[in-house]
């Protein structure tokens, strides 16, 4: 993406999205850096319970994934006006990423926290900004080519603005004022997770101490 942003062109965007869509998904499924880190941490674990917890405690920060997806959508919508082949490549990227991310989030990663849907507002805003750029670039391109029916884009632009306003108003209250029942459930879930972590830590400490005592007894008996 650094090449696309420094030298923006449909050809660079096409090559970047093709590479991202065809190669990024297999790399995500392999998870080689996480595997190497897990093997290193496995050697330092003191008990079987702690080894099991290392494998179960896999997390993914959305701040490392979300900007890449929204930037891909922006570039795909903007440059597909000049090069229509970018549209199916962008679709291929999102289909492959969707398959990989759904598997990771359902069966691999654990959610460290729940934001009560606040992430949706940020994602929705960034998607609408990409759509605004798409309409603006299309209008400018048709104006440069002196297309006679370029004014037909006016209903599209108005429709996008109306949709953004109505959708934002519809989702504003549920996102800003979550129900008291949901807030209480979130607090109870957080408290439960903290208690489970404390219990697991205590059990790991006890098992580690027992393993140390057994090793010391066996070494003293051998002497």
């Amino acid at each position: 993406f650094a090449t696309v942003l420094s030298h923006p062109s449909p050809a660079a965007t096409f090559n970047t999205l093709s590479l991202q869509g065809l190669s990024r998904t297999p790399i995500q499924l392999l998870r080689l850096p996480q595997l190497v880190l897990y093997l290193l941490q496995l050697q330092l674990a003191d008990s079987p319970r702690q080894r099991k917890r290392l494998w179960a405690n896999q997390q993914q920060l959305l701040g490392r994934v979300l900007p890449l997806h929204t930037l891909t959508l922006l570039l795909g919508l903007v440059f597909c006006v000049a090069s229509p082949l970018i549209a199916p490549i962008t679709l291929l990227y999102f289909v492959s990423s969707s398959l990989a991310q759904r598997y990771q989030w359902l069966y691999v990663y654990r959610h460290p926290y729940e934001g009560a849907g606040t992430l949706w507002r940020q994602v929705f805003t960034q998607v609408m900004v990409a759509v605004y750029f798409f309409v603006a670039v299309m209008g400018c391109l048709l104006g440069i080519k002196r297309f006679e029916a370029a004014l037909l884009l006016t209903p599209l632009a108005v429709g996008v603005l109306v949709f953004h306003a109505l959708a934002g108003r519809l989702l504003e209250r549920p996102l800003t004022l979550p129900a008291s029942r949901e807030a209480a459930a979130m607090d109870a879930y957080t408290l439960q997770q903290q208690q489970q972590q404390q219990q697991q830590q205590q059990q790991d400490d006890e098992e580690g101490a027992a393993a140390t005592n057994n090793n010391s007894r066996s070494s003293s008996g051998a002497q």
Side-chain angles (χ1 to χ4, degrees), residues 37-220:
L37 182 61
Y38 167 74
L39 294 176
L40 293 177
Q41 293 178 347
L42 188 63
Q43 302 298 324
L44 302 177
D46 297 330
S47 62
R49 186 182 296 273
Q50 190 173 3
R51 297 187 185 97
K52 184 178 180 181
R53 190 174 62 181
L54 285 175
W55 180 256
N57 191 19
Q58 303 290 329
Q59 298 179 2
Q60 174 67 56
L61 298 178
L62 291 176
R64 299 178 181 177
V65 179
L66 182 60
L68 182 61
H69 296 328
T70 54
L71 183 60
T72 301
L73 179 64
L74 174 62
L75 295 176
L77 288 177
V78 169
F79 285 104
C80 74
V81 178
S83 179
L85 289 177
I86 295 180
I89 295 300
T90 306
L91 178 62
L92 175 63
Y93 168 83
F94 280 104
V95 169
S96 60
S97 299
S98 176
L99 294 175
Q101 291 293 326
R102 284 184 180 183
Y103 176 81
Q104 301 281 14
W105 283 105
L106 289 176
Y107 301 107
V108 179
Y109 296 137
R110 294 182 61 187
H111 301 280
Y113 61 91
E114 295 290 343
T118 54
L119 181 65
W120 167 252
R121 179 187 300 171
Q122 181 179 358
V123 175
F124 179 69
T125 302
Q126 295 178 1
V127 170
M128 293 307 302
V129 169
V131 175
Y132 289 146
F133 273 99
F134 166 72
V135 176
V137 171
M138 182 181 293
C140 293
L141 184 61
L142 294 179
I144 293 174
K145 293 183 177 294
R146 297 181 179 179
F147 184 64
E148 297 179 355
L151 293 177
L152 294 177
L153 287 177
T154 303
L156 176 62
V158 175
V160 171
L161 290 173
V162 172
F163 172 76
H164 191 187
L166 292 179
R169 185 180 301 176
L170 179 64
L171 299 175
E172 181 179 4
R173 182 175 179 81
L175 293 178
T176 54
L177 299 175
S180 58
R181 183 181 301 176
E182 296 179 358
M186 290 173 59
D187 294 339
Y189 176 77
T190 303
L191 181 60
Q192 182 181 3
Q193 292 294 322
Q194 293 177 355
Q195 293 177 354
Q196 290 180 357
Q197 291 179 359
Q198 293 177 358
Q199 293 177 358
Q200 291 179 356
Q201 185 65 32
Q202 292 178 358
Q203 292 176 358
D204 293 339
D205 295 339
E206 293 176 357
E207 291 181 357
T212 304
N213 294 330
N214 293 331
N215 292 332
S216 60
R217 291 177 182 176
S218 59
S219 59
S220 62

